[in-house]
């Protein structure tokens, strides 16, 4: 630390920082418009003038570096007047609402700047000139600070904004003076967030009175775990503002986080419990699939009916006839309660959640190789320290957009070498040193060929292998047959590209391996993950900053739901249900008194087994739904999930659910699955409750209540507590063990129990999180600072184990009848089943309909025009989507998204072939045929709305 003299104060400064940074840290505020601490310094507005040393010549503070003993004056009459003149000339440009509340007008008022007489210029540009649905553009208010230009380039890695013209004609324009969307804007809102004048302003809060409260919370969409401020007025969320102190994302947000939360107030919200008439009448259901009308009831009635039914099933058919699907959208506290309800109260191991559908293979594969299934490093660590990165099967800029933007910056600003391996030419491929475009389902062959080249050139890290790994020789032998030339016919990747990629990955260290569902959602998902673990052990990239194994989890709290044990084979903290010691611990902690109503209740003894037959291992998501269809599971309790939309082969899922004897759904909106429910319990959304989420990098973060739910919804934790208490009473049991009670009256009380039951969360508390600590598990005690980097010295299983893996083809490949290979995923503007994003106005305007990416060659051959409706058919069903003719997909491959229900559901096509270990379905490969169709009406209310992905971008 050095010191500078500012007026009559001695002020500390960090070597290398500029004077504005030092002044602001010491609370000395100067006007500054082009300057922002997050952006590069241009020194163009000259509002931050100071006098330096003996000179009376004012200089901009932002352009000067602090040096020891430097002396400056910030408030002399001369410098004050110089600043006032700068403000006056900027104000002469500004043509906006004089009463507005913005950074620029704050300083105008503070310096008592008046317009020069006769200096009221005519409007130079049309107001609200850009047709996008999220930012109001009024360049009459622009003072040419260029923060928007730099925010777009330096934070988002896009180049939407630029400076055009010269002299008095200088102006900020989007693209080639076109529109934001045509300039490939990703709608992140960073430009508006940094704009000091309101020239760029979020539409949904423009012209509105300011918020009366701001509540910092964690995003409910993806697992990046961005934090932001919900702006609240009169009990409604009126906007989302950046929270600069957010550890993961700073001010950066994506379109979903910034503009996608108005679903909270959507009129579709479930506002009261609903039950079917047959249940209320206590008579058998009329027939298969015919569930009859809904009846609105009070909470007491709904809870009574659910408990009566569950208790009856447990007593008559046994605990194994009950299944629970937990939710990665819900908090840690709620997921903990779902699995406790299942195991302790109902006595079943049949509990699972959507991690089964996204990263079950990651959890299984990494546990086999390293002993821990979690992301080893942090997103910021990779963005700052990785010399190279392999992004495989992750469309990061669309699925985890804020992390995607960090990766783009790592390439642009520090020259990180990026290798992208993806069948589609995703956005990140533009930033890659090399794009390996493997055929879907050939990842093992590709990864093995990369490792083959590593060994061929002796690039392996022998010291790391020798000290920290085992089973190396079998791996080495297994790679012999994977020369790039040998596997090129399989993968479609030119051998020279594999060799070049291998050299980048091996020689630039540390290298981070990053993946998502392009790797995991295969019948070989576990093998794919094992191959990635092999690669990182071979190169010695584990336990090091900037390296590691980095699976990007899907939904906001899928990491937490796994941590909490909402899995059929794991207690909280990944304590195995087949481990006698773990069972003994939870039996003691959750002990109940009173006779068990069934022989294997609770299922603690070795003979207890699920219908799958494994001791103390329950059914997975897809197994549970099939078992419900067969009547083996007689009561299915679903929290916050929509399996009809998100599970593979949705026609079969519908058939199973139609036959299921009793289905309870706890949700915030009616969904495709609610057609098959007997009880609908309205839950609270993320902004309406307290709790915690754990993001993809194991970071536990607070979720805070900003508003009340509309009508009678209750937080999911409250509903679960009511069910458990009533069930215990109905079954004649009462809590005995130290963690057995259900006496929670707030989520913090539940979290204290989580910390007691889960060693990796032992040191996490609301007090620490609310005090601003950012904790990544494991946090073994209350003084531990958390663990940003795993595997530094050793692996949880001791030595890392190499697993030789051989290429196996996908379950279903194209043939004469179904000649195209379908692969599926998400798009930037929607999330998961779309239950939330389809009810967010901006997101729906940007992407109102599903679309199918198809190559120009296939489109030509099939007579398909851009944006026309298509019928896509597989052996299991059909769907409708618009054609997006694009080179993003190779010939023979089509890509569909799974955000739309009913006839637009891509999962009507996908196959339920499972990975044999992780039981994850093969969403990424099945075969289809495609034909133009005229039998689709535009979805209601969307007539004339352009699908930004299809129409604005044309054929990329
Ligand atoms: Fe939310 Fe993910 Fe977007 Fe961040 S990147 S704002 S967590 S959806």
């Amino acid at each position: 630390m050095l010191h500078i003299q500012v007026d009559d104060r001695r002020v500390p400064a960090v070597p290398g920082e500029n004077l504005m940074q030092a002044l602001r840290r010491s609370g000395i505020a100067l006007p500054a418009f082009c300057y922002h601490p997050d952006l590069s310094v241009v020194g163009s507005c000259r509002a931050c003038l100071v006098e330096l040393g003996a000179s009376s010549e004012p200089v901009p503070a932002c352009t000067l570096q602090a040096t020891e003993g430097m002396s400056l004056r910030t408030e002399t009459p001369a410098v004050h007047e110089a600043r006032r003149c700068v403000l006056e000339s900027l104000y002469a440009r500004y043509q906006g609402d004089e009463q507005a509340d913005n950074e620029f007008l704050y300083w105008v008022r503070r310096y008592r700047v008046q317009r020069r007489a006769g200096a009221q210029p005519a409007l130079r540009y049309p107001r609200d000139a850009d047709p996008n649905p999220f930012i109001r553009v009024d360049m009459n208010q622009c003072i040419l600070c260029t923060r928007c230009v730099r925010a777009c380039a330096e934070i988002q890695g896009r180049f939407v904004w630029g400076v055009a013209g010269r002299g008095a004609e200088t102006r900020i324009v989007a693209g080639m003076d076109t529109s934001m969307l045509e300039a490939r804007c990703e709608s992140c809102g960073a430009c508006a967030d940094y704009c000091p004048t309101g020239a760029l302003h979020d539409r949904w809060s423009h012209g509105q009175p300011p918020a009366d409260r701001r509540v910092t919370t964690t995003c409910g969409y993806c697992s990046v775990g961005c934090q932001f401020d919900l702006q609240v007025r009169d009990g409604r969320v009126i906007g989302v503002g950046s929270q600069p102190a957010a550890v993961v994302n700073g001010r950066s947000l994506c379109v979903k986080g910034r503009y996608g939360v108005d679903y909270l107030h959507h009129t579709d919200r479930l506002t009261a419990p609903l039950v079917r008439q047959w249940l209320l009448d206590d008579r058998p259901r009329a027939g298969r699939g015919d569930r009859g009308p809904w009846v609105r009831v009070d909470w007491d009635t709904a809870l009574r009916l659910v408990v009566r039914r569950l208790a009856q099933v447990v007593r008559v058919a046994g605990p194994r006839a009950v299944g629970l699907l937990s939710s990665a959208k819900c908090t840690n506290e709620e997921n903990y309660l779902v699995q406790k309800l299942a195991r302790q109260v109902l006595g079943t191991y049949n509990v699972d959640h959507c991690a089964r559908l996204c990263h079950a293979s990651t959890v299984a594969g990494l546990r086999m190789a390293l002993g821990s299934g979690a992301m080893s490093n942090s997103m910021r660590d990779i963005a700052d320290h990785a010399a190279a990165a392999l992004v495989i099967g992750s469309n990061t800029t669309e699925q985890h957009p804020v992390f995607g933007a960090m990766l783009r910056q790592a390439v642009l600003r520090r020259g990180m070498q990026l290798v992208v391996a993806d069948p589609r030419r995703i956005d990140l491929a533009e930033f890659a040193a090399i794009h390996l475009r493997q055929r879907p389902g050939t990842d093992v062959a590709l990864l093995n060929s990369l490792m083959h080249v590593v060994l061929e050139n002796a690039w392996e890290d022998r010291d790391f292998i020798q000290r920290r790994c085992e089973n190396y020789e079998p791996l080495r032998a297994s790679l012999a047959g994977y020369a790039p030339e040998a596997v090129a016919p399989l993968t479609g990747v030119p051998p020279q590209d594999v060799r070049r990629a291998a050299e980048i990955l091996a020689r630039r260290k540390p290298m981070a391996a990053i993946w998502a569902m392009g790797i995991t959602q295969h019948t070989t998902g576990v093998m794919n993950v094992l191959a990635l673990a092999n690669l990182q052990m071979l190169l010695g990239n584990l336990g090091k900053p900037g390296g590691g194994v980095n699976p990007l989890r899907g939904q906001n709290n899928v990491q937490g739901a796994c941590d909490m044990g909402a899995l059929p084979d794991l207690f909280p903290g990944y304590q195995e249900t087949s481990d006698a010691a773990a069972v003994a611990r939870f039996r003691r902690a959750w002990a109940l008194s009173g006779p068990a109503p069934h022989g294997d209740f609770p299922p603690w003894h070795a003979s207890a087994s699920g219908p799958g037959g494994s001791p103390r291992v329950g059914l997975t998501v897809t197994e549970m739904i099939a078992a419900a269809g067969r009547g083996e599971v007689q009561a299915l309790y679903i929290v916050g999930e929509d399996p009809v939309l998100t599970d593979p082969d949705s026609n079969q899922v519908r058939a199973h659910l139609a036959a299921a004897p009793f289905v309870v759904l706890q949700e915030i909106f009616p969904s495709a699955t609610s057609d098959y429910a007997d009880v609908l319990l309205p839950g609270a959304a993320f902004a309406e409750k307290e709790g915690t989420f754990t993001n993809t990098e194991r970071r536990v973060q607070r979720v805070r209540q900003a508003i009340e739910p509309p009508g009678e919804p209750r937080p999911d934790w409250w509903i679960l507590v009511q069910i458990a208490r009533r069930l215990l009473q109905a079954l004649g049991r009462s809590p005995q063990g130290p963690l057995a009670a259900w006496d929670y009256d707030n989520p913090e009380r539940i979290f204290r129990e989580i910390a007691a039951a889960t060693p990796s969360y032992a040191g996490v508390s609301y007090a620490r999180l609310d005090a601003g600590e950012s904790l990544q598990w494991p946090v073994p005690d209350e003084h531990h600072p958390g663990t940003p980097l795993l595997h530094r010295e050793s692996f949880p299983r001791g030595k890392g184990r190499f697993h030789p893996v051989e290429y196996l083809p996908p379950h279903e490949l194209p043939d004469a009848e179904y000649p195209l290979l379908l692969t599926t995923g998400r798009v930037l503007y929607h999330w998961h089943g779309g239950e939330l994003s389809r009810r967010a106005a901006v997101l729906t305007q940007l992407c109102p309909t599903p679309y199918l990416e198809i190559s120009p060659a296939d489109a030509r051959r099939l007579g398909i025009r851009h944006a026309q409706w298509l019928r896509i058919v597989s052996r299991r069903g059909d769907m409708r989507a618009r054609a997006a003719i694009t080179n993003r997909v190779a010939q023979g491959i089509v890509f569909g998204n799974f955000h739309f229900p009913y006839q637009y559901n891509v999962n009507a096509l996908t196959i339920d072939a499972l990975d044999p270990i992780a039981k994850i379905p093969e969403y990424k490969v099945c075969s289809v045929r495609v034909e133009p169709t005229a039998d689709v009406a535009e979805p209601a209310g969307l007539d004339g709305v352009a699908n930004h992905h299809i129409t604005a971008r044309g054929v990329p």
Side-chain angles (χ1 to χ4, degrees):
M1 195 63 87
L2 51 84
H3 289 85
I4 57 177
Q5 188 69 30
V6 181
D7 302 321
D8 55 358
R9 288 174 61 183
R10 197 159 171 262
V11 165
V14 176
E17 73 179 356
N18 67 50
L19 288 179
M20 281 299 283
Q21 288 169 299
L23 294 176
R24 285 195 173 177
R25 192 173 333 94
S26 293
I28 300 169
L30 300 182
F33 306 115
C34 68
Y35 174 78
H36 192 284
D38 297 349
L39 305 174
S40 59
V41 174
V42 290
S44 61
C45 79
R46 302 182 70 80
C48 61
L49 295 170
V50 295
E51 287 175 2
L52 194 62
S55 169
S56 59
E57 186 65 32
V59 287
C62 67
T63 60
L64 298 171
Q65 239 181 42
T67 55
E68 182 60 51
M70 190 179 239
S71 161
L72 54 130
R73 293 172 302 287
T74 65
E75 289 301 337
T76 66
V79 86
H80 197 274
E81 179 57 18
R83 277 191 221 127
R84 211 191 59 75
C85 287
V86 168
L87 280 162
E88 194 175 78
S89 73
L90 293 174
Y91 192 40
R93 254 194 94 82
Y94 177 85
Q95 275 297 297
D97 177 4
E98 303 287 340
Q99 307 310 315
D101 189 13
N102 63 48
E103 187 182 340
F104 175 64
L105 289 181
Y106 166 83
W107 287 107
V108 166
R109 289 173 197 138
R110 187 157 156 186
Y111 275 73
R112 299 179 192 282
V113 174
Q114 303 291 327
R115 283 203 189 280
R116 290 176 193 146
Q120 190 77 18
L123 289 185
R124 287 159 292 164
Y125 313 106
R127 291 205 193 276
D128 199 0
D130 195 281
N132 79 77
F134 45 93
I135 289 176
R136 183 180 186 273
V137 179
D138 181 4
M139 286 304 170
N140 297 292
Q141 293 177 231
C142 175
I143 57 170
L144 294 174
C145 68
T146 71
R147 276 196 206 170
C148 57
V149 178
R150 286 170 288 143
C152 188
E154 296 170 14
I155 290 180
Q156 191 63 8
R158 276 275 171 250
F159 301 92
V160 172
W161 295 110
V163 183
R166 290 285 179 275
E169 298 303 312
T170 307
R171 66 198 194 284
I172 303 291
V173 295
M176 303 296 285
D177 212 351
T178 51
S179 71
M180 292 172 68
L181 291 177
E182 285 171 308
R184 300 183 69 198
C185 171
E186 290 174 333
S187 331
C188 72
C191 54
D193 184 50
Y194 283 89
C195 176
T197 68
L200 304 175
H201 200 287
D202 291 350
R203 280 191 190 281
W204 76 335
S205 55
H206 179 75
Q208 301 286 325
D212 49 41
R213 268 181 331 120
R214 286 180 162 72
V215 179
T216 302
T217 191
T218 306
C219 181
Y221 279 112
C222 90
S223 66
V224 172
C226 297
Q227 294 204 304
F228 49 59
D229 287 351
L230 290 173
Q231 299 164 346
V232 180
R233 196 185 62 245
D234 300 333
R236 289 179 70 86
V237 173
I238 59 162
V240 170
S242 291
Q243 168 48 259
V247 175
V248 174
N249 57 303
R251 299 184 77 99
S252 182
L253 292 171
C254 82
V255 60
K256 292 187 286 288
R258 199 181 295 277
Y259 301 119
V261 304
D262 51 332
Y263 69 81
L264 292 164
H265 302 296
H266 197 282
T267 51
D268 283 354
R269 283 290 300 269
L270 293 169
T271 55
L274 301 173
V275 300
R276 301 285 186 184
Q277 185 68 53
W278 71 268
L279 202 61
L280 209 54
D281 298 345
D282 197 19
R283 59 174 168 80
R285 225 169 71 200
R288 187 183 165 93
D290 177 12
R291 298 191 120 85
W294 286 114
V295 182
R296 181 180 174 138
V297 294
D298 59 29
W299 272 104
D300 184 61
T301 305
L303 294 169
R304 184 168 47 77
L305 292 174
V306 171
V307 167
R308 186 175 72 192
R309 202 80 188 172
L310 290 174
Q312 190 182 15
V313 171
V314 168
R315 276 200 209 94
V316 177
R320 285 173 289 172
V322 183
L324 294 91
L325 300 187
S326 198
S327 174
K329 294 191 194 87
C330 288
T331 61
N332 288 324
E333 292 77 355
E334 290 160 346
N335 277 284
Y336 176 83
L337 293 190
V338 173
Q339 60 84 40
K340 182 176 173 183
L341 174 68
R343 291 172 173 134
Q344 184 214 29
V345 181
L346 292 161
T348 181
Y349 282 112
N350 295 338
V351 58
D352 203 4
H353 73 285
C354 69
R356 182 70 43 207
L357 310 176
C358 63
H359 272 284
S361 33
T362 293
V363 174
L366 289 184
R367 281 171 67 82
M368 287 163 68
L370 312 175
S372 163
M375 182 169 175
S376 61
N377 291 51
S378 307
M379 291 176 280
R380 176 48 59 198
D381 164 59
I382 294 166
D384 287 349
H385 299 117
L390 168 64
V391 175
I392 181 165
S394 161
N395 183 7
T396 323
T397 54
E398 294 201 57
Q399 314 310 306
H400 301 89
V402 166
F403 182 46
M406 288 185 208
L407 291 178
R408 286 200 289 233
Q409 294 303 339
V411 172
L412 293 170
R413 295 169 84 151
R414 0 177 242 103
M416 183 185 80
Q417 293 275 293
L418 181 62
V419 173
V420 169
D422 200 291
R424 297 166 68 216
R425 203 182 64 196
I426 54 172
D427 165 81
L428 264 188
E430 289 177 34
F431 296 77
I434 188 158
H435 176 200
L436 307 174
R437 205 170 186 183
Q438 77 275 32
R439 290 205 180 94
T442 62
D443 303 284
V444 163
L446 177 66
L447 290 164
N448 279 358
S449 69
L450 287 167
M451 286 185 270
H452 178 101
V453 178
V454 168
L455 292 180
E456 203 175 62
N457 291 279
W459 288 329
E460 73 273 22
D461 186 334
R462 287 184 198 152
D463 175 59
F464 186 89
I465 294 166
Q466 202 261 327
R467 279 189 303 109
R468 302 217 25 204
C469 306
E470 63 187 26
N471 209 34
Y472 173 58
E473 282 310 322
L475 174 82
R476 187 180 176 86
S478 74
L479 297 173
Y482 286 89
E485 293 73 15
V487 300
L490 268 181
T491 61
V493 181
Q496 66 274 18
D497 287 359
V498 176
R499 291 184 184 284
R500 210 176 119 222
E503 181 166 7
I504 292 170
L505 298 175
R507 303 191 74 167
R508 294 187 60 102
K509 290 191 174 178
M511 182 274 284
I514 298 162
W515 71 89
M517 282 163 273
I519 278 293
T520 59
Q521 290 178 332
H522 292 278
T523 45
T524 55
V526 172
M527 297 209 301
N528 292 347
V529 172
L530 287 170
L532 281 160
N534 288 342
L535 176 70
Q536 288 300 67
M537 286 191 283
L538 193 67
L539 295 172
N541 275 321
L542 289 161
K544 295 174 181 164
V549 284
N550 301 287
L552 303 179
R553 310 303 295 260
Q555 298 214 63
N556 55 316
N557 196 35
V558 71
Q559 181 65 54
C562 290
D563 299 346
M564 295 301 105
L567 295 165
D569 56 344
L570 295 167
F571 289 120
Y574 302 95
Q575 301 173 75
E576 295 182 0
T577 57
S578 54
D579 173 17
V583 170
R585 273 196 299 280
F586 282 95
R587 178 167 46 191
R588 263 195 311 277
W590 289 342
L592 299 175
S593 68
H598 201 274
D600 59 1
F601 175 75
W604 304 123
H605 51 81
S607 65
S609 63
S614 310
R616 301 194 198 100
V617 174
L619 297 174
T620 63
V621 168
T622 49
E623 289 171 338
M624 250 186 267
I625 287 170
R630 293 191 300 269
E632 292 167 20
V633 164
Q634 297 186 10
L636 193 57
Y637 194 128
I638 304 172
V639 182
E641 284 299 328
D642 188 4
V644 169
L645 199 52
T646 56
D647 287 17
D649 193 357
S650 59
N651 288 329
Q652 198 179 98
V653 173
R654 284 176 188 281
H656 289 319
L657 289 176
F662 180 62
V663 178
V664 179
L665 180 61
Q666 203 164 299
E667 253 300 1
I668 67 169
F669 289 114
S671 65
T673 299
S674 55
D675 295 349
Y676 302 92
D678 300 292
V679 179
L680 264 176
L681 302 176
F686 83 107
E688 299 158 356
K689 59 189 175 186
E690 298 283 325
T692 54
F693 293 155
T694 303
N695 80 349
T696 190
E697 57 187 8
R698 300 170 282 108
R699 192 181 299 278
V700 187
Q701 304 193 106
R702 283 281 275 118
V703 175
R704 296 189 179 87
Q705 181 172 9
I707 53 173
E708 293 294 331
E712 298 172 34
R714 297 280 185 273
D716 295 275
W717 68 265
W718 181 91
I719 302 170
L720 293 161
V721 169
Q722 306 310 310
I723 299 270
R725 284 181 188 163
R726 288 169 184 243
L727 260 174
L728 286 172
Q729 202 173 20
L731 296 170
R733 319 291 316 269
S734 54
Q736 293 295 308
L739 306 181
W742 286 78
D743 55 355
Y744 322 101
D745 50 11
N746 60 57
E748 184 173 9
R749 167 79 183 73
I750 305 167
F751 196 88
R752 283 202 291 273
E753 183 171 319
I754 292 170
T758 314
S760 52
Y761 279 63
V764 186
S765 65
Y766 277 32
R768 291 185 74 181
L769 298 176
D770 287 340
E773 284 194 79
S774 187
L775 298 168
Q776 288 169 273
W777 65 255
V779 189
D781 62 59
E782 65 196 45
H783 304 295
H784 193 281
T787 313
L789 177 60
L790 296 180
H791 315 316
R792 268 185 192 277
E793 305 298 334
S794 65
F795 298 108
R797 73 176 299 283
K799 288 203 163 186
R801 185 170 180 81
F802 288 110
H803 288 79
V805 288
E806 301 288 351
Y807 164 75
L808 289 174
H811 188 83
E812 181 183 80
L813 285 168
D815 54 22
E817 205 180 344
Y818 298 96
L820 294 169
L821 188 155
L822 170 73
T823 190
T824 68
R826 300 176 173 126
V827 304
L828 173 63
Y829 298 107
H830 285 288
W831 187 246
H832 208 54
E835 294 88 355
L836 313 181
S837 56
R838 276 186 282 107
R839 292 175 171 102
V842 163
L843 303 180
T844 304
Q845 285 183 62
L846 289 165
C847 185
T849 54
Y851 59 87
L852 185 87
E853 291 182 356
I854 186 166
S855 73
D858 287 324
R860 245 189 331 272
R861 186 173 52 79
L862 295 167
I864 290 169
R865 282 176 289 105
H866 196 60
Q868 85 172 115
W869 281 100
L870 304 174
R871 177 170 177 255
I872 306 113
V873 190
S874 80
R875 287 187 175 80
R876 294 154 291 281
D878 64 347
M879 74 166 298
R880 309 291 187 277
R882 280 183 186 275
I885 301 174
T886 170
N887 286 314
R888 275 160 71 98
V889 287
Q891 190 173 352
I893 297 172
V894 292
F895 168 83
N897 59 72
F898 67 100
H899 306 303
F900 295 85
Y902 303 108
Q903 62 171 323
Y904 309 109
N905 183 4
V906 82
N907 282 320
L909 312 174
T910 51
I911 191 166
D912 64 354
L914 302 179
D915 178 288
I917 298 170
K919 299 184 179 173
I920 190 170
E922 188 150 66
Y923 289 101
K924 294 300 183 203
V925 184
C926 73
S927 55
V928 296
R929 68 169 190 268
V930 175
E931 56 204 39
T933 186
D935 70 351
V936 183
E938 292 293 328
L942 298 176
D943 296 357
V945 176
N947 188 325
H948 166 50
H949 256 284
I950 301 176
T951 52
R953 291 183 178 186
V955 183

